[in-house]
Amino acid sequence: MLTLDMVYSASYKLKEVCRMTNLIYASKISDSCSVYLKTENLQVTGSFKVRGAYYKISQLSDEEKARGVIACSAGNHAQGVALAAAKNGIKSLICLPDSAPISKIEATRSYGADLCLVDGVYDDAYAKALSLKDEMGYTFIHPFDDEYVIAGQGTIGLEILDQIPDADAVIVPVGGGGLISGVAYTIKHLNPKIKVYGVQAAGAPSMVKSMESGKILTLDSVSTMADGIKVKEPGEHTFDLCSKYVDGMVTVNDDEISSAILAMIEQQKLIAEGAGAVSVAAVMFNKIPELEGKKVVCLVSGGNIDVTILSRVIKRGLLTSGRTCLLNIELIDKPGQLKGVSDIIAALGGNVISIHHERANEGSDINGCYLRITLETKNYEHINQIKSALVSAGFKLCEAG
């Protein structure tokens, strides 16, 4: 049974490997509340997961350590277990979904773990790990549904209370629920006035749906860029703890997550992966109205984003936040039309990134043409200002496509 003594014990034990991550004031994230970022993306291995993994492995018997450990993960727990096993001088085998980012796979390998790539998502890797556990006699290190793992994650709650004791709310990313279970349990026992809210990806709302129904549900499928929280089913321990100690649970979509990643890069010079950014996305897009005027901690749980998709995430974030837009303008094919469009855009401070001119096609005016322009803009208000000016000047805007 999870106790505060376990959390305090974990805090002491984790001094061997983990650092107390900084709490950073992020003034531009929200106009309605004061936001602080708990930067677990800067933790050893780039994620909070090492806390629970290391504490769990430290509590194994000599016999269990001799047999080695096995784990399943989308990437961050894998790295935590691999590092913890290496620090304890024991063998580790990690089952990862083959869709896990290459950067996370290679990082796990770099800590000395043996890898088993499994076709499918996290839940498929979980099933494979259980099968190999029985076959090979390994000790299984669960990524979230284990009280020692949860206690390790709960040490973040201790740090938050130490760093900002007058916080009003803590916002936590949720996949299987191990992180929020530990944080909520710790905070609610030491300062029950602080609200704790969870955030899931809209494409993987397993805990949200389970809490709404009052029982654990298994989703048929999950789909989100936030691979670290792409879980079909929450754990038994985590579901019970969330039901008791969490004040609310919301979702954010991939566009909102991308915008949050972009905001942290630009405003805080911090890199967060999709799962790590959902807490910030929830605040940016006002998913929790009760936060207005409050002092809020957003837990940024990890920063291990695959650099090969970072450019796509940034592009998506720019579009979602109104920082870029595509205009499709129907013109009469005569001299001066392009100059007229360009003058309006330049006068209003828009920056042309690319331009494509296309002659009329079948079904359109024989003297017509289309101008497709990609612009760098300030926000949606700026986009609407440019569009209104173009329409007022007699230009016809069409649906971009």
Side-chain angles (χ1 to χ4, degrees):
M1 181 179 178
L2 182 64
T3 65
L4 273 181
D5 284 343
M6 291 171 64
V7 179
Y8 282 113
S9 171
S11 181
Y12 177 79
K13 191 66 180 177
L14 289 176
K15 291 178 181 179
E16 299 173 359
V17 67
C18 290
R19 62 172 66 102
M20 177 185 283
T21 52
N22 291 335
L23 197 71
I24 298 173
Y25 177 55
S27 61
K28 298 180 181 179
I29 293 296
S30 173
D31 294 329
S32 63
C33 62
S34 299
V35 177
Y36 296 80
L37 306 180
K38 178 60 172 168
T39 54
E40 282 296 292
N41 56 318
L42 302 180
Q43 184 55 264
V44 177
T45 73
S47 163
F48 76 95
K49 285 286 192 176
V50 67
R51 293 175 183 262
Y54 191 85
Y55 184 56
K56 170 65 177 179
I57 288 175
S58 74
Q59 301 303 299
L60 298 180
S61 67
D62 290 341
E63 181 183 352
E64 289 172 322
K65 290 179 179 179
R67 291 200 302 265
V69 297
I70 188 169
C72 59
S73 171
N76 286 334
H77 180 61
Q79 294 175 62
V81 171
L83 176 63
K87 290 283 188 180
N88 283 273
I90 62 179
K91 180 181 178 181
S92 63
L93 173 63
I94 314 294
C95 295
L96 297 99
D98 59 2
S99 58
I102 293 174
S103 59
K104 291 185 178 181
I105 293 173
E106 292 307 311
T108 303
R109 198 190 309 274
S110 74
Y111 290 118
D114 295 325
L115 304 185
C116 175
L117 297 182
V118 181
D119 183 31
V121 295
Y122 159 78
D123 300 84
D124 301 297
Y126 174 71
K128 181 67 174 179
L130 292 183
S131 173
L132 290 174
K133 164 188 170 292
D134 294 335
E135 179 182 339
M136 308 297 292
Y138 296 120
T139 298
F140 181 63
I141 310 299
H142 200 287
F144 52 83
D145 203 30
D146 180 283
E147 290 173 339
Y148 288 103
V149 171
I150 293 170
Q153 323 306 21
T155 60
I156 299 173
L158 293 179
E159 292 181 12
I160 290 172
L161 291 172
D162 182 60
Q163 292 168 317
I164 184 166
D166 60 340
D168 295 303
V170 179
I171 318 299
V172 186
V174 180
L179 175 59
I180 194 170
S181 293
V183 170
Y185 177 89
T186 302
I187 287 176
K188 290 297 186 179
H189 276 80
L190 296 174
N191 188 346
K193 293 181 180 179
I194 297 177
K195 301 291 186 180
V196 180
Y197 298 96
V199 187
Q200 290 203 292
S206 55
M207 185 67 83
V208 170
K209 297 295 185 183
S210 295
M211 289 182 67
E212 287 175 352
S213 68
K215 62 181 179 181
I216 295 175
L217 299 179
T218 303
L219 303 180
D220 293 331
S221 63
V222 288
S223 177
T224 174
M225 63 170 287
D227 57 278
I229 54 175
K230 193 161 63 173
V231 178
K232 290 181 179 179
E233 180 182 311
E236 292 182 10
H237 294 302
T238 58
F239 174 74
D240 288 341
L241 289 166
C242 285
S243 299
K244 291 177 182 176
Y245 300 112
V246 174
D247 295 286
M249 195 87 61
V250 299
T251 63
V252 291
N253 62 40
D254 281 3
D255 285 337
E256 292 163 340
I257 296 169
S258 297
S259 294
I261 292 173
L262 179 63
M264 280 189 280
I265 291 173
E266 288 195 313
Q267 298 170 16
Q268 305 300 324
K269 316 308 175 193
L270 290 173
I271 300 293
E273 60 189 280
V278 297
S279 56
V280 174
V283 173
M284 283 179 60
F285 291 93
N286 300 313
K287 300 287 181 167
I288 309 170
E290 297 88 345
L291 299 181
E292 185 171 356
K294 304 297 185 180
K295 187 174 288 189
V296 179
V297 177
C298 290
L299 207 168
V300 183
S301 59
N304 293 318
I305 191 168
D306 191 338
V307 294
T308 60
I309 69 165
L310 185 56
S311 62
R312 283 178 279 166
V313 170
I314 292 173
K315 182 178 180 181
R316 192 164 181 170
L318 289 170
L319 285 168
T320 303
S321 58
R323 298 286 301 285
T324 61
C325 76
L326 175 63
L327 298 180
N328 197 26
I329 307 171
E330 185 177 349
L331 302 175
I332 299 298
D333 194 6
K334 65 179 184 180
Q337 292 282 282
L338 177 57
K339 182 179 183 301
V341 171
S342 299
D343 286 346
I344 291 171
I345 293 172
L348 292 173
N351 183 42
V352 176
I353 299 173
S354 67
I355 189 167
H356 176 72
H357 179 272
E358 183 179 293
R359 298 281 182 177
N361 50 34
E362 185 178 355
S364 61
D365 192 310
I366 195 169
N367 293 317
C369 65
Y370 291 94
L371 193 65
R372 289 185 173 86
I373 302 178
T374 302
L375 296 177
E376 182 181 11
T377 49
K378 300 174 185 177
N379 47 42
Y380 282 112
E381 183 180 352
H382 190 206
I383 292 172
N384 290 331
Q385 187 181 16
I386 292 172
K387 287 182 176 180
S388 295
L390 289 169
V391 172
S392 296
F395 295 106
K396 183 180 178 181
L397 300 183
C398 308
E399 287 294 326

